[in-house]
Amino acid sequence: MAKPEVSSQELRARLNTGLAALGLDNTVGAEQRNLLIHYVALLQRWNATHNLTAVRDPLEMVPRHLLDSLAVLPYLPEGAVVDIGSGAGLPGIPLAICCPMQAFTLVEPAAKRVAFLRYAIADLRLTNVQVAPQGSEDYHPDLLPDVIISRATAPLARLDAMTRHLQGPHTWVLAQKGPGVGEELTDWPRAATLHITRQDLAVPGLPPRFLLSWRIPVATP
């Protein structure tokens, strides 16, 4: 027997409850919530044939994709953001929906995901988002970003190596991680030379999540 379709009202109720739990009730407006729900609908539709994400249930997409991405909002610095290994647009698209005054670049090499990202950006009418269809090592913008963000793209040591050429003295690096973050820090020798801030992200319905952020130390003359 086919599973009944999830209504937009059910998705909205779960989103509203999750945003309230994250303390974002007054941060994310009604139109932004409409766009977030529409993004989930697009992701579900494309997922049926393109396997963009392992999460199939749209109700599960709300906590595991939307809320997990938006939990970063209180800690997101101002300026141009580069989303490394964006995949299906996570966390870049949900953050871009809620931060229309910031520019976002989604760096993603897989062709099927690039096609989805371009379609979603156009369909959602996001004028503050562009796609860089390449791996992070091959991405060389004219200006270094203000923020580099990554959601479970690679272990910390690998992420640092992948983005070292993008990290300037003004660039914040934000890495969203799960329970294994302690081991990743141990396996990353450069961590000892950085002042790394760690935030606990209590995302409803998910295991413990953490946000690590750092900047390259500025050399003293």
Side-chain angles (χ1 to χ4, degrees), residues 76-154:
L76 184 68
E78 296 181 351
V81 181
V82 169
D83 179 7
I84 295 294
S86 188
L90 300 160
I93 286 182
L95 290 175
I97 287 172
C98 297
C99 303
M101 302 307 294
Q102 288 185 249
F104 287 78
T105 300
L106 313 180
V107 180
E108 172 55 48
K112 65 180 180 181
R113 290 177 178 147
V114 168
F116 170 73
L117 292 175
R118 287 175 169 160
Y119 181 89
I121 290 167
D123 198 59
L124 295 166
R125 299 182 181 180
L126 298 177
T127 58
N128 60 327
V129 187
Q130 63 179 349
V131 180
Q134 55 204 159
S136 60
E137 293 94 338
D138 299 319
Y139 176 60
H140 293 273
D142 293 334
L143 297 175
L144 294 179
D146 299 296
V147 183
I148 296 168
I149 194 166
S150 171
R151 178 178 177 263
T153 300

Side-chain angles (χ1 to χ4, degrees), residues 199-213:
Q199 303 286 349
D200 295 346
L201 303 177
V203 182
L206 296 187
R209 302 284 290 157
F210 308 97
L211 177 67
L212 274 61
S213 58

Side-chain angles (χ1 to χ4, degrees), residues 59-74:
L59 274 177
E60 282 303 304
M61 289 181 182
V62 173
R64 294 178 65 178
H65 291 336
L66 295 185
L67 298 178
D68 193 36
S69 296
L70 296 177
V72 176
L73 270 176

